């Protein structure tokens, strides 16, 4: 037993039975052979947030393969693998006081495990034991001086779980995990080159076990995905792997079919396809445009300074919809706001399900157009805007429709699902509505011909270009006078920001509570950027550049123990900011 180990153990044994506040004296750094333990924060009492502890092993001692732990993307994948392996080690140690964090099905950049040039580090939360408000020092000594170093050695000393044996299946699983991640990133980069905004691999298992679970349905119970021949696309990856599946081209794609036949299931898979997935998830080869954003109606949300005039204009109240604000948006205004905010945040693909949309925002049939003249209807439906959004802004749309054929005449591709089996039915759909592929040619979009799809409101040539003036938050936009504590996530669906709560329930691509915590930390970082001159778009770009350069530790100012955070996309950061009811903008 080293002197450091002996000192910590002795201190904890001596603290047994004393009041809990005395534990603060154990803060510090301790050596346990190759393991260094850092006790960064000690909870104030047994009912407070857990203590923060790190364990670290130098790279020279760890002896992990350099080819799997050197490149930034490889480190993200290897850290993800070690996080999952670390939870298995804790289970084997029967140690519930140590909390490493539980990842979902996605491979994401997290703070739980850090791999850098110098070594390997695990950031844990520890519930130090107590009876009432008295320290259980002997149990704490077992946790911190026995189980914690054992955990670190079993996780970070490569020869402890691989024996440096190339035939060891555990070593192979790490390599396979990293290489799968590489292949998924390469396939994602191929999408843009191939003019695709989504890819669903043949053999994918898209259904989940239940509506409240992200785990895959048993393959024996699920119908594996098979691409329609017309949309089949094969990609040969540099690893030697060849992947075949359905490529979804840029443009307007409508997914149709009967109820419970898999329409929404494929859209949910594309929503999550913005992230890489672990082997066995069933969606390993569902890859989406990384900016793809889910859009829905969201009654009651706050809106601050959005230009929704492309969709809603000439309100009877005279409200200026070029700078629209409300504390209680309707279904149509909330969906319009969600859409323009997504485009402002950089979305190049929109994912929309009619089941979660406001009907009057999406369509207006011919009888209603005839009964209510265009000049008396302030809402220009999305069906009239979806093509200029594509031709003028380069924004594609994937839309699930089960109750209306309105989007057939503006769709580049129509895919029908029958018992989870897709078919390409574009020609049949176009025949039904009297449209040809030539009518949808972008070259015709600015002409005053029937190809403009004049719907009785205006021609495409008259429609707006969707380029609103940049929104500029005020210097105190995220500094309310009542705010005395840092923002913090409350689960995955709320952030407490001062006295306010930001509702994240409708942000479908926010995948877990750690990602919500990442958003909360980012809001604190944005508060330092907003100066009354920097636009929201510029601030998001600055955050993204910083994260790319410094990782998630940069968002917290490189605190010793940043807590458990997962990197959010700029789209979810913007969505949370836009839902903050105290957001103030320059005019």
């Amino acid at each position: 037993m080293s002197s450091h180990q002996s000192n910590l153990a002795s201190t904890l044994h001596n603290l047994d039975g004393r009041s809990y506040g005395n534990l603060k004296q154990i803060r510090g750094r301790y050596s346990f052979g190759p393991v260094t333990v850092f006790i960064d924060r000690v909870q104030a009492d047994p009912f407070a947030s857990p203590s923060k502890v790190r364990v670290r092993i130098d790279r020279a001692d760890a002896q992990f393969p350099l080819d799997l732990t050197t490149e930034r993307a490889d480190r993200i994948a290897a850290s993800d693998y070690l996080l999952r392996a670390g939870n298995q080690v804790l289970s084997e140690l029967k140690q519930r006081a140590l909390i490493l964090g539980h990842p979902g099905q996605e491979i994401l950049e997290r703070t739980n495990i850090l791999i850098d040039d110098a070594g390997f580090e695990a950031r844990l939360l520890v519930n130090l034991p107590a009876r009432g408000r008295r320290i259980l020092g002997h149990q704490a000594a077992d946790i911190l001086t026995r189980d914690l170093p054992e955990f670190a050695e079993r996780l970070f000393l490569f020869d402890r779980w691989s024996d440096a044996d190339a035939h060891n299946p555990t070593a192979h699983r790490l390599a396979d995990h990293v290489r799968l991640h590489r292949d998924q990133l390469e396939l994602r980069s191929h999408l843009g080159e191939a003019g695709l905004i989504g890819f669903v691999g043949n053999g994918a298992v898209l259904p989940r076990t239940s509506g409240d679970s992200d785990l895959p349905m048993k393959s024996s119970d699920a119908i594996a995905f098979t691409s329609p021949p017309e949309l089949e696309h094969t990609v040969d990856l540099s690893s030697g792997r060849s992947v075949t599946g359905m490529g979804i081209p840029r443009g307007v794609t409508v997914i149709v079919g009967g109820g419970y036949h898999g329409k929404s299931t494929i859209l949910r898979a594309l929503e999550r396809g913005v992230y890489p997935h672990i082997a066995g998830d069933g969606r390993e080869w569902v890859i989406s445009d990384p900016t793809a954003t889910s859009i829905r109606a969201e009654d009651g949300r706050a809106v601050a300074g959005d230009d929704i005039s492309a969709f809603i204009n000439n309100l009877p109240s005279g409200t200026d919809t070029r700078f629209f604000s409300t504390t209680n948006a309707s279904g149509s205004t909330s969906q319009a706001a969600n859409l323009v905010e997504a485009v402002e945040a950089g979305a190049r693909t929109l994912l929309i399900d009619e089941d979660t949309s406001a009907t009057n925002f999406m369509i207006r049939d011919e009888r209603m157009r005839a009964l209510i003249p265009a000049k008396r209807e302030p809402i220009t439906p999305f069906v009239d805007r979806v093509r200029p959004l594509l031709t003028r802004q380069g924004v594609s749309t994937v839309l699930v429709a089960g109750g209306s054929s309105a989007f057939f005449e503006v769709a580049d591709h129509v895919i029908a699902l029958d018992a989870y089996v897709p078919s390409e039915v574009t020609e049949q759909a176009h025949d039904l509505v009297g449209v040809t592929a030539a009518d949808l040619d972008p070259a015709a979009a600015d002409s005053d011909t029937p190809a403009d799809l004049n719907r009785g409101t205006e021609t495409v040539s008259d429609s707006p270009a969707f380029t609103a003036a940049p929104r500029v938050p005020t210097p105190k936009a995220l500094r309310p006078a009542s705010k005395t504590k840092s923002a913090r996530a409350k689960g995955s669906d709320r952030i407490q920001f001062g006295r306010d709560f930001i509702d994240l329930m409708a942000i479908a691509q926010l995948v877990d509570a750690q990602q919500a915590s990442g958003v909360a930390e980012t809001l604190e970082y944005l508060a330092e950027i907003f100066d009354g001159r920097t636009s929201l778009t510029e601030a998001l770009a600055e955050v993204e550049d910083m994260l790319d350069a410094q990782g998630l530790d940069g968002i917290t100012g490189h605190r010793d123990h940043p807590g458990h955070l997962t990197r959010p996309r700029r789209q979810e950061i913007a969505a949370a900011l836009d839902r903050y009811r105290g957001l103030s903008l320059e005019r």
Side-chain angles (χ1 to χ4, degrees), residues 5-46:
Q5 182 177 1
S6 176
N7 289 342
L8 179 58
S10 176
T11 299
L12 288 166
H13 287 306
N14 289 335
L15 289 174
D16 187 67
R18 297 180 64 183
S19 64
Y20 205 87
N22 286 287
L23 272 174
K24 290 184 178 180
Q25 63 188 272
I26 68 171
R27 284 187 61 195
R29 171 177 174 167
Y30 303 89
S31 296
F32 296 77
V35 179
T36 302
V37 172
F38 301 86
I39 302 177
D40 295 311
R41 174 189 171 276
V42 178
Q43 60 205 92
D45 71 42

Side-chain angles (χ1 to χ4, degrees), residues 456-537:
T457 54
E458 62 184 359
T459 62
V460 170
S461 57
D462 294 326
S463 62
F466 303 96
T467 51
R471 291 189 297 159
V472 178
T474 65
K476 294 187 177 181
L478 293 178
R479 295 181 181 279
S482 62
K483 183 173 178 291
T484 59
K485 295 182 180 180
S486 297
R488 59 185 301 177
K490 299 288 188 178
S492 60
D493 57 5
R494 284 197 312 167
I495 289 174
Q496 184 171 0
F497 196 85
R499 294 178 181 174
D500 294 311
F501 287 90
I502 302 173
D503 188 349
L504 310 177
M505 282 287 289
I507 307 177
Q509 290 159 291
L510 198 64
V511 297
D512 62 28
Q514 280 196 199
Q515 206 174 27
S517 293
V519 172
E521 290 282 358
T522 306
L523 293 178
E524 296 292 338
Y525 191 89
L526 284 169
E528 302 294 325
I529 296 175
F530 292 147
D531 56 5
R533 298 182 302 275
T534 303
S535 72
L536 191 150
T537 304

Side-chain angles (χ1 to χ4, degrees), residues 183-189 191 197-201 246 248 269-270 272-277 283-290:
D183 283 351
Q184 290 171 336
L185 296 183
E186 183 179 349
L187 178 54
R188 194 183 308 282
S189 69
L191 294 183
I197 52 93
F199 180 92
V200 184
M246 181 178 75
I248 302 175
L270 291 170
R272 293 299 180 94
V274 298
Y275 306 118
H277 284 74
R283 301 169 297 186
E284 300 94 315
W285 303 112
V286 180
I287 308 293
S288 303
D289 165 15

Side-chain angles (χ1 to χ4, degrees), residues 24-239:
K24 290 184 178 180
Q25 63 188 272
I26 68 171
R27 284 187 61 195
R29 171 177 174 167
Y30 303 89
S31 296
F32 296 77
V35 179
T36 302
V37 172
F38 301 86
I39 302 177
D40 295 311
R41 174 189 171 276
V42 178
Q43 60 205 92
D45 71 42
F47 307 103
S49 299
S51 302
K52 291 182 176 180
V53 174
R54 291 175 291 138
V55 289
R56 188 172 182 86
I57 289 183
D58 289 344
R59 184 174 280 272
D61 292 317
Q63 290 293 303
F64 271 75
L66 290 175
D67 66 315
L68 301 178
T69 58
T70 299
E71 297 297 326
R72 187 174 189 276
D74 290 349
R75 286 179 178 178
I76 291 172
S79 295
D80 179 88
Y81 182 86
L82 289 172
L83 173 57
R84 298 170 196 277
N87 278 301
Q88 179 61 37
V89 172
L90 291 176
S91 176
E92 292 168 1
L93 291 172
K94 296 182 172 57
Q95 184 48 261
R96 295 184 178 181
L98 298 173
I99 303 166
L100 186 58
H102 292 276
Q105 300 296 97
E106 297 83 10
I107 301 173
L108 298 172
E109 182 179 348
R110 301 181 178 93
T111 58
N112 310 57
I113 301 285
L114 174 69
I115 301 175
D116 57 25
D117 291 343
F120 295 75
E121 181 174 290
R123 284 87 174 259
L124 299 103
L125 306 178
V126 185
N127 287 306
L128 292 173
R131 180 179 291 112
R133 296 184 185 276
R134 298 289 175 178
I135 299 167
L136 291 176
H138 305 313
Q139 293 182 23
D142 287 343
I143 293 168
L144 295 177
T145 68
R146 183 192 66 193
D147 293 342
L148 187 59
E150 173 67 10
F151 161 80
E153 290 188 3
R154 288 177 61 175
L155 184 62
F156 289 150
L157 295 181
F158 191 64
D159 59 1
R160 284 287 298 267
W161 52 274
S162 73
D163 296 323
D165 180 358
H167 300 291
N168 186 283
T170 309
H172 273 303
R173 284 196 290 270
L174 170 63
D176 289 345
H177 196 79
V178 172
R179 289 165 186 158
L180 172 62
H181 186 248
R182 289 176 186 168
D183 283 351
Q184 290 171 336
L185 296 183
E186 183 179 349
L187 178 54
R188 194 183 308 282
S189 69
H190 171 81
L191 294 183
E193 300 165 6
L196 303 176
I197 52 93
F199 180 92
V200 184
N202 287 346
V205 175
L206 305 184
R208 304 292 94 185
T209 56
S210 65
D212 60 355
S213 172
D214 202 35
L215 297 175
M217 183 180 288
K218 292 180 181 179
S219 56
S220 58
D221 298 330
I223 297 173
F225 186 88
T226 303
S227 172
E230 300 88 343
L231 295 174
E232 193 166 82
H233 190 84
T234 298
V235 183
D236 295 320
L237 301 168
S238 56
S239 65

